[in-house]
Amino acid sequence: MKRMLLIHDLCSAGKAAMMNMIPFLSVMGIEVCPLPTMLLSPHTGGYGKPAVLPVPGEYLKESLRHFQREQVRFDCIFVGYLGNVKMAHTVLELLDMEQGPKVILDPIMGDHGTYYSNFDETYKEALLPLLKKADLMLPNLTEAAFLSGMPYEACQSDEGLLEAVKRLQKLGMKDGVITGIHAGEDEIGMAVLEKGKMAVCRETEVPYHSHGTGDLFDAVLCGALLGGKDLHQAALMAHRFVADCLREKVKEVEEERSGLPFDRLLGNLV
C-alpha cells in the first residue's frame, strides 16, 4: 500500500481540506498520514468567522522526526493549505528533512483573480521556494498567474498562459496541472504540463460552484497517480469525478456551504 504524508488544514464542518481528501485517498488504496497546519471549526465560506488554531511548527517538525526514528516512510508528500508565512517556512524545512518522496504542491492562496482575504504578496513570496521542492504543482489559474508574476487577465489567453508556464518553469516548476483555464462557451479547461510538454484539455463545464472542489480534484488526481496512471490520465479522471459530484449537488436542495455530496460516489473510485 502506498503512503502519503498529507500536510493541509483540518476543517470540522463543511467538507473541505483534509476531510475531503482523506476518504478519497483511502478508498483508492492510499494510506493517509495527516499532518495538520491549521485547525478550523468549519471552513471559511458561508459559516461566518470560524474558530482557528494554527498548529505550532515545532509539532510538525517533531512529528516528522518521530516518523524518521520509527522508519515510517512515505511515497508522497502533499502540501496544501499552509495559512501563513511562518508555516510556509516550516514546511520548506520539513521538505529538506525528508528527502526522497514525490512532493505534490497545491499553492492555495486565491481564485478568480484575487487573493483569499488572509493572503497577499508576502505570502506568495514565501511559497516561491517550494516550487523547486515540488515534483508536481496543482495551482488554479489565479495562483499560476500570481506565482509567475503575470497579470491574471493576460493568462486568460493561450499566449499568456504559455508565458506563465515558462516563467514557472524558470522558478522551478517541473510537472503541473493548472485548473480553471478559460475555454469555449460552456467549457472549462486545464493545462497539463508533463515532461516539458503542455496540453490544454477542455471539458463540459457544470454551471455550479462549491467549496472543496479543489480538494476533491487533488485527492483523486493524487490517488490515480499513486495507483499508476500518468498525469494526463489522472487529471482527466479527477476533473470528471468532480464534475459528477457537482451534478449530484445540483439535484439537492441543501445549502451550498455544506459542500459536495461526494459520499455516495466514493464507490465509483474503487
Side-chain angles (χ1 to χ4, degrees), residues 26-177:
S26 297
V27 82
M28 295 178 79
I30 311 301
E31 179 186 349
V32 186
C33 300
L35 196 56
T37 57
M38 190 169 291
L39 309 179
L40 298 91
S41 43
H43 61 63
T44 56
Y47 287 96
K49 187 176 181 180
V52 179
L53 177 64
V55 175
E58 285 305 313
Y59 169 78
L60 274 74
K61 293 178 186 177
E62 287 303 317
S63 295
L64 188 55
R65 291 189 183 105
H66 193 174
F67 294 147
Q68 291 172 335
R69 286 196 301 272
E70 295 301 317
Q71 299 185 9
V72 178
R73 306 299 183 198
F74 302 103
D75 299 286
C76 176
I77 298 176
F78 180 91
V79 179
Y81 187 92
L82 303 181
N84 56 51
V85 168
K86 187 175 180 180
M87 184 58 74
H89 294 160
T90 295
V91 169
L92 186 62
E93 292 181 42
L94 292 182
L95 297 180
D96 285 332
M97 291 168 58
E98 185 71 8
Q99 299 289 332
K102 183 182 185 70
V103 176
I104 300 176
L105 168 66
D106 185 342
I108 301 167
M109 60 177 165
D111 204 357
H112 305 297
T114 60
Y115 284 105
Y116 295 137
S117 60
N118 52 327
F119 296 136
D120 55 21
E121 289 287 310
T122 304
Y123 185 75
K124 179 204 78 175
E125 291 295 324
L127 289 187
L128 285 174
L130 292 172
L131 271 62
K132 294 181 180 179
K133 299 292 184 181
D135 299 290
L136 172 64
M137 274 183 58
L138 303 175
N140 61 34
L141 186 62
T142 296
E143 292 152 353
F146 289 168
L147 289 167
S148 69
M150 288 281 290
Y152 172 70
E153 294 76 13
C155 291
Q156 296 180 35
S157 70
D158 291 345
E159 296 78 9
L161 176 62
L162 182 59
E163 177 61 26
V165 168
K166 289 179 179 178
R167 293 189 185 190
L168 289 170
Q169 288 176 307
K170 289 180 180 179
L171 290 168
M173 183 177 77
K174 303 172 186 69
D175 290 345
V177 179

Side-chain angles (χ1 to χ4, degrees), residues 220-256:
V220 177
L221 184 145
C222 290
L225 282 177
L226 291 171
K229 294 187 181 299
D230 64 32
L231 183 56
H232 188 88
Q233 292 172 325
L236 284 175
M237 179 177 175
H239 176 90
R240 289 166 182 170
F241 190 85
V242 170
D244 288 343
C245 290
L246 287 167
R247 291 187 189 98
E248 284 294 312
K249 182 67 176 181
V250 171
K251 299 175 185 177
E252 295 190 344
V253 294
E254 281 189 53
E255 55 191 3
E256 190 277 333

